[in-house]
Amino acid sequence: MESFDAFVLARSRRLTRTAYLLTQDHALAEDLVQTALAKAWFSWSRIEGGDPEPYVRRIMVNTYATWWRRRWNGEQPTEELPEPTGPDQTDAAPDRTDLWRALQRLPRKQRAVVVLRYYEDLSEAETARILGCSTGTVKSQTSKAFAKLRLDPALLADLPAEEASR
């Protein structure tokens, strides 16, 4: 399994970035990558002949979708809210956090399409293959996602008045 180890060393940072963009949580992103790699390991002899990265990405997207279909997603009720931590709570990059929050408000499939197409720079065909849908679905989900992002109040607040009214 030396080639699997080499793949993990070479691609884990990029896979973790993709997972973070999907989950918006560092711990969940690491769990998602670890789960996807564990699933890929069992099929490694079958997938290592080609490029295994799209296969592992598809496992990540499918696993992410199943996590949110479950009733319980790890949240526990508490008497007091914890103190905010992490990069999303700083004032250092308000535009960036507005974009992250707007992405979080997108439905999961639209968010996955935007992440794979524009953050991972994949083609429509590659994105469709990873998500298991047609390129037409990728195009329509991208269009719907951008339409929602254009109307997101957090992103509209940054535009000058004449641009926001278009």
Side-chain angles (χ1 to χ4, degrees), residues 52-119:
E53 189 168 356
Y55 185 86
V56 175
R57 276 203 189 130
R58 183 167 188 166
I59 293 172
M60 281 182 9
V61 169
N62 290 342
T63 301
Y64 169 70
T66 60
W67 282 358
W68 293 106
R69 285 184 195 132
R70 292 182 197 156
R71 249 190 130 114
W72 179 77
N73 62 6
E75 295 178 7
Q76 295 288 331
T78 60
E79 291 291 322
E80 293 182 32
L81 293 175
E83 290 296 319
T85 60
D88 292 340
Q89 304 302 324
T90 64
D91 292 331
D95 295 339
R96 190 170 128 193
T97 57
D98 287 347
L99 180 59
W100 291 132
R101 288 185 183 131
L103 282 172
Q104 286 175 332
R105 287 188 282 272
L106 290 176
R108 285 183 300 280
K109 189 157 192 169
Q110 290 177 11
R111 187 182 328 150
V113 167
V114 170
V115 166
L116 293 173
R117 285 279 292 129
Y118 297 97
Y119 285 94

Side-chain angles (χ1 to χ4, degrees), residues 10-42:
R11 308 281 176 87
S12 62
R13 176 174 273 163
R14 185 175 172 142
L15 292 170
T16 303
R17 183 184 71 188
T18 300
Y20 176 77
L21 292 169
L22 290 170
T23 64
Q24 297 294 306
D25 181 277
H26 290 289
L28 280 177
E30 290 172 356
D31 288 348
L32 181 58
V33 171
Q34 185 174 6
T35 301
L37 289 173
K39 289 179 180 181
W41 185 84
F42 288 108

